[in-house]
Amino acid sequence: MRTHGIRRLIAAGIVSLALSTNTNAQNSFWGGDDHTPSLAIVPTEIQLDVPMPVGDMQLMLALASNGGGLADLKQDAIRNYTQHIHSEMARVLYEYLDDEEVPLVAENGLLQLQNNLNLKVIKHLSAMKPRGDHDLEQGTVTLQGEFRYILSNRSGTALREQRITIGDMNINEKYQVRTYHDNRASEDSTEAAIKQALTEMVEELVEAMEDNLEADELRDMAAL
């Protein structure tokens, strides 16, 4: 699997990824000998809701002293997870397209891929246990929402479209939080659990799109 081009795209960030071209696409609008049509990818539009971050009392106090609060913490978390989704979508999607040798172009591709994600991350508390010098919170992270993508031609006519219900994926990741009684910093695996759930979601979404992103399928679409 050729990953050198993917690493270069990921390093440039999701926006530059979507606007970058690989060497084949730069040399030929159509790409390789089998004339796979060029594809322009619009960065994913994301609407995201996440649980309110808790547990870092020192950070919350610092924010309060500077006129901030929990709302600022939540917005930081949303930005963090949104960037994670963009990065993972780029990694998985561009890896697949690289395997299919689909030429990517900055704009005016013969085909265009648009997608949007409306997502809510939910924490489910399963247990709260006192453990000597700390309290232990345990639970799971689940995802709810909808993903939609459209493959269209240069004139804007939709050629393929699909909606995917995120809850049907049944993604569950365990988390735990240790809150110490002596005001030591808590140990919280919630962020790692959420990111793992988001990565799993992205992998399943790209897998669901794969049939319509195969080189043969794109050539058939371009002929319509």
Side-chain angles (χ1 to χ4, degrees):
M1 185 175 293
R2 301 177 303 281
T3 59
H4 59 282
I6 301 162
R7 295 193 188 99
R8 183 169 61 251
L9 290 171
I10 292 175
I14 183 64
V15 175
S16 60
L17 280 172
L19 299 180
S20 294
T21 60
N22 60 24
T23 301
N24 289 338
Q26 290 173 346
N27 291 337
S28 168
F29 179 78
W30 286 95
D33 294 337
D34 52 359
H35 302 299
T36 301
S38 58
L39 179 67
I41 300 177
V42 179
T44 306
E45 296 181 8
I46 299 174
Q47 296 293 323
L48 178 62
D49 187 22
V50 300
M52 184 70 73
V54 295
D56 196 335
M57 186 59 66
Q58 290 183 341
L59 179 57
M60 286 188 283
L61 290 174
L63 282 170
S65 66
N66 291 322
L70 289 176
D72 297 299
L73 280 177
K74 184 167 183 175
Q75 287 305 310
D76 286 343
I78 289 174
R79 283 190 289 269
N80 178 27
Y81 296 128
T82 297
Q83 182 57 50
H84 182 77
I85 295 170
H86 278 311
S87 297
E88 290 297 275
M89 183 66 77
R91 177 183 66 82
V92 182
L93 181 59
Y94 280 79
E95 181 178 282
Y96 178 78
L97 293 172
D98 191 58
D99 277 350
E100 289 291 308
E101 298 183 345
V102 176
L104 304 176
V105 294
E107 56 186 10
N108 296 324
L110 199 62
L111 299 174
Q112 178 175 266
L113 174 64
Q114 295 174 282
N115 53 91
N116 60 70
L117 175 66
N118 193 322
L119 182 67
K120 184 173 185 178
V121 180
I122 304 170
K123 285 174 64 176
H124 298 277
L125 176 65
S126 59
M128 183 70 77
K129 305 173 183 177
R131 292 287 183 85
D133 63 348
H134 68 274
D135 295 324
L136 180 63
E137 175 187 338
Q138 295 175 308
T140 58
V141 170
T142 63
L143 305 177
Q144 297 289 333
E146 183 180 76
F147 177 79
R148 179 191 181 206
Y149 74 90
I150 300 174
L151 277 160
S152 57
N153 59 21
R154 190 180 292 170
S155 65
T157 302
L159 304 175
R160 299 288 188 277
E161 181 175 356
Q162 185 178 5
R163 294 177 184 268
I164 300 170
T165 301
I166 304 299
D168 291 345
M169 297 177 179
N170 295 317
I171 295 173
N172 294 275
E173 290 293 331
K174 294 180 180 180
Y175 78 90
Q176 63 179 25
V177 182
R178 286 188 175 90
T179 304
Y180 292 93
H181 301 156
D182 59 4
N183 293 324
R184 276 181 288 164
S186 62
E187 298 175 8
D188 189 348
S189 68
T190 303
E191 180 177 340
I194 292 175
K195 287 185 174 180
Q196 180 58 40
L198 296 176
T199 294
E200 184 178 345
M201 175 197 70
V202 167
E203 290 173 347
E204 293 197 27
L205 290 176
V206 173
E207 183 177 351
M209 289 191 286
E210 284 181 358
D211 286 347
N212 285 324
L213 294 176
E214 292 178 351
D216 288 343
E217 186 68 17
L218 293 177
R219 285 192 288 271
D220 289 344
M221 275 186 264
L224 296 176

